[in-house]
Amino acid sequence: MVEGQVNGLAIYDLGDFSFGKPSRITARTFMGRSGVINIERESKLSGRLHDKGILILGGYLGYRYAQDKPLTLSASICFEQSYEGVDGDSASSTELYAILSSLSGLPIKQNIAVTGSVDQKGRIQPIGGVNQKTEGFFDVCKAKGLTRDQGVIIPKQNTKNLMLREDVVSAVEQGEFHIYAVETIDQGIEILTGIPAGIQQKDGSYPEDTVSYLVDKRLRELGKGLKEFSADEGKKNDNESEESCS
């Protein structure tokens, strides 16, 4: 298990042949006002659909955690060791899981890979290539050795599109490989961390020992820290101005 790191699933198209392959996606969160920073975009490796998916993440974080406080954070997202262009929004839920893990400090299971788009309310949306992505991660797991706890998280809407190879179906039936179909970010983060997501209470708070409680707590700490830092810098600048005038 690793904090702020998730296995995403991408499709590689070689013309007449395409296949799914896991990609390591990482997120780091820290004090600031920059919002979600897309490293692929900054390095000119991100397409328009991927850029849109990143912007949606900020909408979700604001909708979920910034109703009673400003959303003051900086978060960087990266496809590690990816040197080609990235497009599409099918990794947006994966990227959001990585951000939530980094904010909460909760590690993510590395034996599960994720695909799925997400909207601003945290609802998982269907994607393309679900069969290639599932089979691609299964092949990687099989090559390294099946441990009976590996699997993929896919949008529930895509279950009707599943037409997997016989060896994958057999592995699922025997409990050697798992397919989790989810409808919300909350369902997915519970699978990846083993911790309850947390339902917001009437007073706006979240139950302790839940993912949302830890995320909300960290966001408050970042906001408070930034406010105190800005105040200290303001006092420092005022003192320097007074000294230069004397």
Side-chain angles (χ1 to χ4, degrees):
M1 299 179 72
V2 182
E3 178 186 325
Q5 177 177 299
V6 188
N7 287 315
L9 291 170
I11 288 184
Y12 288 75
D13 194 340
L14 303 178
D16 294 334
F17 179 71
S18 63
F19 60 95
K21 177 180 177 294
S23 298
R24 179 177 296 171
I25 298 175
T26 60
R28 295 285 82 187
T29 52
F30 41 93
M31 189 183 298
R33 301 182 185 274
S34 301
V36 181
I37 302 168
N38 179 7
I39 291 178
E40 311 307 317
R41 179 181 180 182
E42 298 302 315
S43 56
K44 296 181 173 57
L45 291 173
S46 178
R48 291 180 298 174
L49 295 180
H50 184 246
D51 290 342
K52 179 181 178 181
I54 294 291
L55 293 173
I56 288 173
L57 305 188
Y60 170 83
L61 292 171
Y63 164 78
R64 184 72 181 263
Y65 299 107
Q67 298 298 315
D68 57 352
K69 59 185 177 299
L71 186 64
T72 53
L73 89 154
S74 292
S76 62
I77 295 177
C78 180
F79 277 71
E80 300 291 351
Q81 290 191 304
S82 174
Y83 309 110
E84 299 178 354
V86 176
D87 203 3
D89 64 351
S90 63
S92 57
S93 67
T94 313
E95 293 161 336
L96 184 50
Y97 293 134
I99 291 176
L100 294 176
S101 171
S102 180
L103 283 170
S104 66
L106 296 171
I108 292 286
K109 296 175 182 178
Q110 300 300 296
N111 52 359
I112 297 177
V114 181
T115 186
S117 172
V118 65
D119 68 12
Q120 293 188 99
K121 289 190 175 182
R123 295 174 296 204
I124 302 299
Q125 302 173 132
I127 45 81
V130 65
N131 292 297
Q132 293 99 317
K133 292 176 179 178
T134 301
E135 292 172 350
F137 189 64
F138 172 81
D139 289 340
V140 171
C141 293
K142 186 176 181 180
K144 293 180 67 68
L146 293 174
T147 58
R148 303 187 69 85
D149 60 358
Q150 298 145 323
V152 296
I153 293 178
I154 67 171
K156 187 174 182 180
Q157 299 97 313
N158 279 121
T159 54
K160 62 183 178 182
N161 305 120
L162 288 175
M163 296 180 63
L164 301 170
R165 299 191 318 246
E166 291 186 7
D167 59 333
V168 182
V169 174
S170 176
V172 172
E173 291 176 342
Q174 296 176 26
E176 296 180 339
F177 192 77
H178 306 275
I179 298 176
Y180 305 95
V182 301
E183 297 179 281
T184 65
I185 285 293
D186 282 354
Q187 293 175 358
I189 198 67
E190 288 182 355
I191 294 170
L192 290 169
T193 64
I195 305 295
I199 299 175
Q200 191 172 29
Q201 308 299 299
K202 291 183 179 180
D203 62 357
S205 65
Y206 293 92
E208 292 190 25
D209 300 321
T210 64
V211 177
S212 291
Y213 172 83
L214 295 172
V215 170
D216 186 64
K217 179 182 178 182
R218 181 55 179 160
L219 288 173
R220 292 182 186 277
E221 291 172 350
L222 290 173
K224 182 180 178 180
L226 184 60
K227 182 178 179 180
E228 292 175 349
F229 178 80
S230 299
D232 290 341
E233 285 296 295
K235 291 179 181 178
K236 180 180 178 181
N237 291 335
D238 290 342
N239 292 335
E240 291 177 351
S241 297
E242 291 176 0
E243 291 176 358
S244 62
C245 292
S246 60

